[in-house]
Amino acid sequence: MTLNQEQFDILIHKLEVFGRKQPNVYKLRLALLATLGYAYIFVILAATLALLTGIIWLMLTSRSFHTGAIKITIFLTIFGLILLRSLWVSFPPPTDLYLKRKDFPGLYALVDELSSKLQAPCFHSILITDDFNAAVMQRPRLGLLGWQQNYLIIGLPLMLALTTEQFRAVLAHELGHLSGNHSRFSAWIYRQRSTWYRIAKELGEGGNETSWFIFEWFLKWYVPFFNAYSFVLARMNEYEADQCAVELTGAKNTASALINADIKAKFLENSFFSNIYKQINTEIEAPKSVFTEMKAAFSKKIDSTESRLYLTQALAEETNNDDTHPCLSDRLNALQCLPKNQEQISLPTTIKVSAAREILGTALDNLNLRNFRFN
């Protein structure tokens, strides 16, 4: 069963109402649904092993080894091995630029500090990418059985666009998704959402037709339904992650990080990259380093009229069911940082020292960016 957008929206609306009226019952049902995924697989595995054990026991006690029984035993053995193999779905590690602790001690020290304060798990690797974003990623090394390997993925453009305190707020938000200071249940569901989605994707595209055949009908129903049922909690988790940022950096820095990031993202999309593409199409020599130009662009103040336009556009956006992230106005309102008059919101000022420069130091100049898309 694949939910279309209309069915998805109706279900989300019902669950939002239900979650507000009976939050504990909603979470209990969600926990049972999350457990169902594991139960389905382990029940099939247990039934297969029980049947295999029973047939072998009967053959040994009766000392009768019929050809049919031997064939069934071989079939069940192969089937059981395939089931066990399916539990170890392979998840490839991310392929962005890995940052070594010895080369970027300031960044690792900051992440260690925030992780400790939020009781978040340690990160095995920090990667840098060319996206205007930051994210945490957990890679289950044993497939459904877990043993998570934690990655923190940071977009260099985002670091160039924010002050250090604003960037701290962004990191605190991302680490907040896995925080032990807040709901461990929410963090568990956060992991389950991404894990089941990727398991369905890997089994569907991995070329193991037998494994996919075993799980196909279940995953086609389970993954979309679990995604919809957990959507409400996932959105609540975004607000909880914002509160983690407030706890460590304050509401003002958290709000300014949200505003600054939204305006700078729109600036990159509508102004900066359009100029870069024009240079590529019209000039003999393309820009040698987009990130060098980006650093220069972010070191200057964006025109106030342009910034105000981007802010107006961002505040006009509404929260929808295409993304678990609430819109900017809803997040600012939850932080109690949304004035009645939009003109009272301060626009981003000139950043004298970006988070990238202050945290990465001279290592920023030595980053190997040749594999980045826009370099």
Side-chain angles (χ1 to χ4, degrees):
M1 178 189 74
T2 302
L3 298 173
N4 60 37
Q5 190 60 49
E6 182 180 0
Q7 293 171 325
F8 186 81
D9 291 340
I10 292 173
L11 180 57
I12 294 301
H13 177 69
K14 289 181 179 179
L15 291 171
E16 285 177 335
V17 174
F18 178 61
R20 285 193 296 268
K21 290 183 178 179
Q22 302 185 63
N24 292 332
V25 178
Y26 163 72
K27 290 182 178 180
L28 175 60
R29 290 184 180 180
L30 180 56
L32 292 174
L33 183 61
T35 306
L36 175 63
Y38 293 94
Y40 170 79
I41 295 173
F42 285 107
V43 164
I44 293 179
L45 181 60
T48 301
L49 293 177
L51 188 58
L52 177 62
T53 303
I55 292 175
I56 293 174
W57 181 80
L58 285 173
M59 287 193 298
L60 291 176
T61 54
S62 64
R63 296 182 181 180
S64 176
F65 300 91
H66 294 293
T67 304
I70 293 174
K71 288 181 178 180
I72 293 175
T73 301
I74 294 173
F75 171 79
L76 289 175
T77 301
I78 295 173
F79 184 74
L81 291 173
I82 291 174
L83 280 176
L84 287 172
R85 174 64 185 85
S86 299
L87 296 176
W88 273 268
V89 178
S90 175
F91 294 102
T95 56
D96 297 301
L97 184 63
Y98 283 71
L99 304 182
K100 296 180 180 179
R101 180 178 287 270
K102 65 182 180 65
D103 297 327
F104 299 89
L107 178 59
Y108 273 89
L110 173 59
V111 173
D112 289 344
E113 175 202 341
L114 297 178
S115 298
S116 176
K117 289 181 178 178
L118 290 171
Q119 297 182 29
C122 64
F123 285 87
H124 301 90
S125 299
I126 299 178
L127 299 86
I128 200 158
T129 179
D130 58 354
D131 293 325
F132 193 87
N133 195 16
V136 293
M137 172 186 169
Q138 291 192 301
R139 173 175 168 257
R141 285 170 284 196
L142 297 180
L144 281 175
L145 299 181
W147 193 28
Q148 306 291 340
Q149 190 169 19
N150 304 314
Y151 298 88
L152 177 61
I153 303 173
I154 299 171
L156 180 57
L158 185 65
M159 290 191 76
L160 293 171
L162 302 179
T163 65
T164 299
E165 280 306 306
Q166 291 169 350
F167 182 66
R168 280 174 59 91
V170 171
L171 284 186
H173 171 94
E174 295 303 328
L175 300 183
H177 285 300
L178 307 178
S179 170
N181 288 358
H182 286 257
S183 172
R184 293 185 182 275
F185 177 73
S186 295
W188 179 60
I189 293 297
Y190 181 85
R191 291 195 297 270
Q192 298 310 306
R193 282 173 59 85
S194 59
T195 298
W196 278 110
Y197 172 78
R198 285 158 54 202
I199 283 176
K201 186 174 184 293
E202 289 296 321
L203 283 179
E205 300 176 356
N208 192 332
E209 295 181 0
T210 305
S211 295
W212 177 239
F213 174 77
I214 296 169
F215 299 114
E216 179 180 12
W217 73 269
F218 176 76
L219 291 177
K220 281 188 174 180
W221 166 79
Y222 180 76
V223 173
F225 187 73
F226 179 68
N227 176 57
Y229 211 95
S230 59
F231 188 93
V232 175
L233 186 68
R235 179 165 288 163
M236 291 168 55
N237 190 246
E238 293 298 332
Y239 288 114
E240 288 186 1
D242 279 348
Q243 287 304 313
C244 289
V246 170
E247 289 175 14
L248 298 192
T249 66
K252 183 178 179 181
N253 283 319
T254 303
S256 65
L258 291 171
I259 294 169
N260 200 5
D262 220 317
I263 290 176
K264 295 288 179 62
K266 286 179 167 56
F267 165 75
L268 284 181
E269 180 181 354
N270 295 288
S271 180
F272 179 80
F273 280 121
S274 64
N275 291 332
I276 293 295
Y277 296 143
K278 286 179 183 177
Q279 291 181 48
I280 294 174
N281 292 328
T282 60
E283 297 185 10
I284 297 176
E285 291 188 7
K288 292 183 179 179
S289 175
V290 172
F291 284 100
T292 299
E293 297 202 15
M294 191 181 293
K295 282 188 282 186
F298 282 146
S299 66
K300 302 173 185 177
K301 183 179 179 181
I302 301 175
D303 178 75
S304 59
T305 303
E306 187 178 2
S307 290
R308 185 62 64 181
L309 172 63
Y310 296 149
L311 178 60
T312 301
Q313 292 173 347
L315 293 175
E317 295 170 355
E318 297 182 355
T319 299
N320 58 55
N321 295 333
D322 293 333
D323 190 354
T324 57
H325 287 83
C327 65
L328 177 61
S329 58
D330 285 348
R331 295 176 76 174
L332 293 178
N333 189 51
L335 297 174
Q336 299 182 344
C337 294
L338 181 63
K340 293 182 179 179
N341 185 355
Q342 180 182 313
E343 297 297 325
Q344 293 178 284
I345 298 179
S346 300
L347 297 174
T349 57
T350 303
I351 297 179
K352 295 181 179 179
V353 181
S354 70
R357 174 56 66 190
E358 185 168 348
I359 296 172
L360 303 182
T362 56
L364 173 62
D365 303 317
N366 300 324
L367 275 174
N368 182 3
L369 305 176
R370 65 177 179 271
N371 293 324
F372 280 16
R373 285 196 306 268
F374 299 110
N375 194 45

